[in-house]
Amino acid sequence: MPSTRPLIGITVDWNPGDELGGKVSLNDGYVRVVVAAGGVPVLIPPWADVETLADTLDGLLIPGGADIDPKHYGAVRHPKTELISEARFEQEWRLLSAFEQRRKPILGICYGCQLLNVWRGGTLHQHLPDLPTVTLTHQRASQQEPYPRHLVQVDTRSKLFESMRLAQFEVVSAHHQAVRDLGRGLVISARASDGVVEAIEDPNLPFLIGVQWHPERDPDAPATRALLTAFVRACKA
Ligand SMILES: [Mn+2]
């Protein structure tokens, strides 16, 4: 019997390194939650051929990372905006189109959620602490502190709710940016109590969901298992 476990592509970071060469890297939490949900993670570095990957893999996970260059959504760079590697960003941009064309599942996490929005022509808040309406802590103040947790409310008409069957739960939060204006074809599927957008989706695709929180840093939470199991199930379909 052939294996029925789906192949889940996960993009990785790239740093230029030194004269001996650059480095690709990924927090292993992403790999572990995909394995726990029954998927087989396949790490995707920049420069690998996207058409072959999109033909072969069953789904795409865009993990967390630094910030998107605001030139991609027509804004001037905020002093707190720290740029993602251009090689990674360009690879992911091409992968999104290739997976979307094939209607294969896509899950974006944190930076990955923001990328889905910008790729569809949306914009971002570049630094949440600047907004007077933001009352929750979405990012820890220093590396010595634990990651903050806050509640998210899911729209019960959304695919996210259909997938998770959970309307409210606590998440691990580690972001200073968030969705501002929505990109084409996207809707908001979850918010924090201060109004910050915590999840987006395309209601017209089988599974294109971005979450602003970090399931991979909360592997045993029921919400993490519900989300990753639904994603892996969609990749099998
Ligand atoms: Mn948050």
Side-chain angles (χ1 to χ4, degrees), residues 5-12 26 30-31 34-35 39-45 53 56-61 95 99:
R5 294 182 186 274
L7 297 175
I8 315 281
I10 311 177
T11 50
V12 301
L26 176 73
Y30 296 102
V31 169
V34 166
V35 169
V40 178
V42 178
L43 305 200
I44 306 177
L53 289 164
T56 310
L57 301 174
D58 301 301
L60 177 67
L61 194 166
L95 283 165
F99 275 76

Side-chain angles (χ1 to χ4, degrees), residues 138 150 173 175 196 198 212:
H138 292 273
H150 63 69
S173 189
H175 61 111
V196 167
E198 291 283 340
Q212 189 55 71

Side-chain angles (χ1 to χ4, degrees), residues 203-218:
N204 294 310
L205 282 175
F207 194 112
L208 186 140
I209 292 175
V211 301
Q212 189 55 71
W213 67 88
H214 283 275
E216 85 288 356
R217 289 176 186 170
D218 205 7

Side-chain angles (χ1 to χ4, degrees), residues 60-80:
L60 177 67
L61 194 166
I62 308 277
D67 302 323
I68 295 166
D69 191 327
K71 74 183 180 193
H72 296 296
Y73 49 94
V76 175
R77 186 173 165 184
H78 187 285
K80 296 276 191 190

